[in-house]
Amino acid sequence: MKKELIGLLPDELKAELVSLGEKPFRAKQLWHWLYNKGETDFFKMTTLAKTFQARLNELYTVTHPKIVTEQNSVDGTRKWLMEFQDGKQVECVYIPESDRGAVCISTQVGCAQGCKFCHTGTQRMMRNLTAGEIVGQFMAARDSYGEWPTPTDETRYLSNIVVMGMGEPLCNFENLKSALKIAMDGDGLAISKRRITVSTSGVAKYIPELADLGVKLAVSLHAPNDEIRNQIMPVNRKYPLDVLIAACKEYQKRCERRQFITMEYVLLKDINDQPKHAEELMKLVDGLEVKFNLIPFHSWDGAPFEPSSNNTMHRFAKILESNYFAAPVRRSRGEDIMAACGQLKSAKGKKDS
Ligand code: SAH
Ligand code: SF4
């Protein structure tokens, strides 16, 4: 079977070519074709010698996930169903923002974390995605927008990556790291590390390492105390709040520059949405620099929770805001096409997960 090149780090690609008897600088040329130009056909890589093209074609493949369907929302959100070589699928979303836009990518097919409010959590964990499959989702998104070669920062449309799709990124950390290093490489996709956010359900062990990568951190906090968090997020039994908060502090200590952490908080009716919960939440994050992101709960068939009312959500936000915390109630984008992050593949249910 031919070997896949997408997902190899620069040094790995170099070693591969050296093993073929090629000069190391060839790896740089090839890298440029793969990640700056987005070329998948060796025979179109015109700066490479014909014999080298043929050799590569004999031994290797260059694969972007296949786009199976594409849906466009009235608000500019675009959602794709993407398929990998083994037929497994994930959804990927482009979310336009005031400062250009973010591509929301997945790290696993399914998820083993089993958060009670999350539809993905009800699905079986199928497998980790490879580094190539993780970064490949961004590349397929670029294919869809025709955004090759890599534009300058000023003109690019797909400017950010948020790792908020299906799966727990820190449970597939090695592959995630490789994928993000590839995405950040200045000669390729050139996504600045400041434009990458990783969201975790709280796998505390690896959180400080995100500071070394230089990426932003979002934590799916969702509860002000262990009692509630244990009830809705099984991960909390392994990494309770004191451990999670300590890991967040370590992350901030290790960050090169001052870096806010986004605390995501999904409001669940009568579970975590009362004023006393807001008060408790502020005490919990004492000593951290955080912004809150209040998320309306997206219900799904058979969900064990209900969304909080608008009034309750705004009352909650007001308490945080009057204590000088940023706490926007996140307007969910692409709702008409069910594109809210954390809701990916919801409508398709379990049959194809
Ligand atoms: N697994 C990672 C990243 C993906 S989920 C994590 O848990 O952080 C992205 C966000 O959507 C998370 O904050 C998640 O808690 C939230 N989410 C999941 N299900 C949701 C639902 N039904 N309604 C609203 N937000 C949800
Ligand atoms: Fe997995 Fe995140 Fe859903 Fe929890 S919220 S089940 S970690 S995808």
Side-chain angles (χ1 to χ4, degrees):
M1 215 176 100
K2 295 189 191 183
K3 186 167 178 178
E4 177 59 44
L5 290 183
I6 298 296
L8 296 183
L9 289 164
D11 280 349
E12 293 166 344
L13 187 64
K14 204 187 283 172
E16 203 61 52
L17 297 193
V18 169
S19 76
L20 297 183
E22 292 291 337
K23 295 263 184 316
F25 80 90
R26 292 281 175 213
K28 235 182 160 27
Q29 280 183 317
L30 181 54
W31 184 270
H32 196 77
W33 281 107
L34 298 181
Y35 296 110
N36 178 277
K37 294 241 186 355
E39 186 54 67
T40 56
D41 181 349
F42 292 115
F43 294 109
K44 290 190 181 149
M45 302 184 182
T46 48
T47 58
L48 307 182
K50 286 265 181 316
T51 50
F52 184 40
Q53 291 175 350
R55 191 82 201 281
L56 288 171
N57 191 56
E58 216 172 275
L59 298 170
Y60 302 104
T61 52
V62 177
T63 317
H64 298 182
K66 188 170 124 200
I67 294 183
V68 182
T69 57
E70 176 183 302
Q71 283 174 279
N72 289 290
S73 160
V74 286
D75 66 15
T77 305
R78 184 178 288 184
K79 182 173 78 165
W80 306 272
L81 185 62
M82 294 188 186
E83 188 172 294
F84 304 110
Q85 297 285 72
D86 66 349
K88 292 273 181 292
Q89 298 176 337
V90 295
E91 282 179 358
C92 182
V93 189
Y94 172 76
I95 310 151
E97 286 165 354
S98 52
D99 181 24
R100 289 178 286 272
V103 179
C104 175
I105 62 174
S106 299
T107 51
Q108 299 179 317
V109 185
C111 184
Q113 300 300 305
C115 304
K116 297 283 187 291
F117 48 81
C118 174
H119 192 269
T120 303
T122 67
Q123 300 174 24
R124 262 191 317 140
M125 161 69 181
M126 302 295 286
R127 68 170 176 90
N128 280 332
L129 296 182
T130 63
E133 289 168 337
I134 296 171
V135 71
Q137 294 164 60
F138 182 77
M139 297 169 80
R142 267 206 183 161
D143 291 337
S144 171
Y145 280 92
E147 199 162 76
W148 299 108
T150 298
T152 60
D153 258 348
E154 293 67 44
T155 59
R156 69 173 77 186
Y157 208 55
L158 277 57
S159 57
N160 293 42
I161 293 180
V162 293
V163 188
M164 291 191 183
M166 188 184 279
E168 169 47 56
L170 301 190
C171 290
N172 187 13
F173 198 40
E174 286 309 312
N175 290 343
L176 174 74
K177 271 195 283 194
S178 297
L180 295 184
K181 280 181 189 160
I182 292 168
M184 286 174 201
D185 186 276
D187 295 325
L189 298 170
I191 306 291
S192 153
K193 59 189 178 191
R194 271 171 241 128
R195 292 182 172 276
I196 299 177
T197 304
V198 175
S199 173
T200 176
S201 59
V203 181
K205 190 172 164 193
Y206 301 111
I207 284 177
E209 278 191 56
L210 291 173
D212 307 335
L213 265 179
V215 298
K216 289 190 184 165
L217 168 65
V219 175
S220 296
L221 194 58
H222 305 325
N225 59 46
D226 281 323
E227 196 191 335
I228 298 175
R229 204 160 192 270
N230 281 341
Q231 213 183 310
I232 61 176
M233 300 181 76
V235 64
N236 198 64
R237 295 183 187 273
K238 188 157 181 197
Y239 301 108
L241 283 170
D242 57 341
V243 177
L244 176 57
I245 297 297
C248 291
K249 286 188 177 150
E250 180 60 24
Y251 165 87
Q252 281 188 324
K253 211 166 88 192
R254 277 208 220 169
C255 278
E256 260 174 34
R257 59 184 69 214
R258 189 160 166 242
Q259 183 72 76
F260 279 87
I261 297 172
T262 302
M263 292 294 183
E264 293 164 281
Y265 196 95
V266 59
L267 288 151
L268 305 170
K269 187 180 174 195
D270 297 335
I271 303 283
N272 65 357
D273 63 352
Q274 296 304 303
K276 65 172 184 210
H277 298 134
E279 299 291 347
E280 209 176 354
L281 190 57
M282 290 187 290
K283 285 204 192 91
L284 179 69
V285 299
D286 191 36
L288 282 171
E289 291 199 271
V290 304
K291 293 176 181 172
F292 290 100
N293 222 342
L294 303 179
I295 313 172
F297 172 59
H298 294 269
S299 204
W300 34 274
D301 261 358
F305 304 110
E306 283 173 55
S308 307
S309 69
N310 269 336
N311 276 347
T312 305
M313 289 196 285
H314 286 109
R315 181 179 64 182
F316 198 92
K318 256 208 173 116
I319 298 171
L320 301 177
E321 280 164 355
S322 62
N323 286 280
Y324 306 103
F325 285 100
V329 177
R330 193 171 75 184
R331 266 217 52 73
S332 161
R333 311 294 304 270
E335 262 177 304
D336 54 332
I337 55 167
M338 296 266 308
C341 279
Q343 285 288 285
L344 304 186
K345 276 190 76 179
S346 290
K348 295 185 69 70
K350 293 177 186 175
K351 67 180 187 327
D352 56 2
S353 61

